[in-house]
Amino acid sequence: MDANERERAEGPGTAPPRTPGIAGLALPYRVLAALVLAALAVAACLHLGLVFLHVAPSNTLSKKHAGLVDGWIYPEFEQNWKLFAPNPLQQNIAVQARAQIRNGSGALVTTGWRDLSAEDAAAIRHGLLPSHTQQNELRRAWDFYTGSHDDEGKAVRAERAELSEAYLKRIAGRRLGAGLAEGERIVRVQLRSATRSVAAPAWSTETTDTQTYYRELPWWTV
């Protein structure tokens, strides 16, 4: 079949098939796609490098860039090894929050306590692919706070105390602010923990105090 016969068979004006993938794009779009992929690759390498410096033993490079590493890692990307701890947790700790809301008429209303930990647990229960955020965000935020404050709420690690407070306040404000009516706004938020020891098994002679103990934090202005 010569060229004329092929053209008659395929019909006039038939465009050649487009090359699959990025190579099939016009030149400006190929350049844009290459720039986007390069930016993503650089960001991924930078993230992995900072995480490596965070978890690696202390060295000259990690000490020199400690501010940059901590600023990127904390609080969202903090690494820990509690999965391998020899002593499992023996307490259930729930984080609860409430808010003071200014309604449309200007009155200040204090909400009841909401169990944020229970809401997270309900969201992931029976889920085949539970959300990593719902499993760890609130729990790690509370650990971050208690690790930088003493039992009286005083900062023991000043460089992280302010950041841990801002992180908790942001989480509480976002969750309590969802679903507010038009004209309402959150003025202040308060958090507390409800700690209860896990009861001893039925076959054990050990006695355990299973009373719930609360630790209230001060009101924080949003």
Side-chain angles (χ1 to χ4, degrees):
M1 180 181 294
D2 58 22
N4 293 331
E5 291 176 339
R6 186 180 301 108
E7 182 178 350
R8 287 195 299 270
E10 295 178 351
T14 301
R18 187 176 71 88
T19 304
I22 295 178
L25 299 175
L27 179 60
Y29 293 105
R30 291 204 301 270
V31 173
L32 178 61
L35 291 176
V36 171
L37 291 175
L40 291 175
V42 170
C45 291
L46 178 62
H47 173 72
L48 292 176
L50 292 173
V51 172
F52 173 79
L53 290 177
H54 175 66
V55 300
S58 181
N59 56 75
T60 303
L61 191 60
S62 63
K63 291 178 180 178
K64 181 179 179 180
H65 300 287
L68 174 63
V69 173
D70 288 348
W72 178 259
I73 293 297
Y74 294 105
E76 281 84 0
F77 302 120
E78 181 184 3
Q79 308 291 308
N80 67 85
W81 304 99
K82 288 187 177 180
L83 175 65
F84 306 102
N87 299 317
L89 295 175
Q90 298 180 347
Q91 293 177 324
N92 289 317
I93 302 176
V95 179
Q96 303 171 353
R98 63 177 177 176
Q100 287 184 339
I101 298 174
R102 185 80 66 183
N103 60 25
S105 62
L108 195 62
V109 179
T110 301
T111 68
W113 289 102
R114 275 180 53 182
D115 193 332
L116 305 183
S117 296
E119 293 175 4
D120 283 351
I124 65 177
R125 187 173 290 116
H126 307 306
L128 296 179
L129 298 172
S131 166
H132 181 77
T133 300
Q134 289 170 328
Q135 291 182 81
N136 297 296
E137 179 187 58
L138 183 62
R139 179 181 62 82
R140 293 299 304 133
W142 185 257
D143 287 346
F144 188 27
Y145 176 86
T146 56
S148 57
H149 295 75
D150 61 17
D151 292 339
E152 303 299 324
K154 297 179 181 179
V156 295
R157 304 183 69 178
E159 71 279 5
R160 298 183 184 178
E162 185 177 352
L163 178 60
S164 68
E165 293 176 8
Y167 190 36
L168 268 180
K169 181 168 62 175
R170 187 166 72 244
I171 293 173
R174 185 183 71 244
R175 298 196 186 189
L176 297 176
L180 288 182
E182 185 176 355
E184 294 182 338
R185 64 181 180 88
I186 293 180
V187 179
R188 298 197 301 171
V189 296
Q190 185 181 29
L191 291 98
R192 73 178 183 183
S193 64
T195 303
R196 183 172 59 86
S197 297
V198 177
W203 46 262
S204 174
T205 58
E206 180 183 359
T207 57
T208 305
D209 180 8
T210 57
Q211 180 180 346
T212 301
Y213 294 91
Y214 296 94
R215 174 184 176 181
E216 289 191 5
L217 304 187
W219 284 98
W220 289 330
T221 300
V222 176

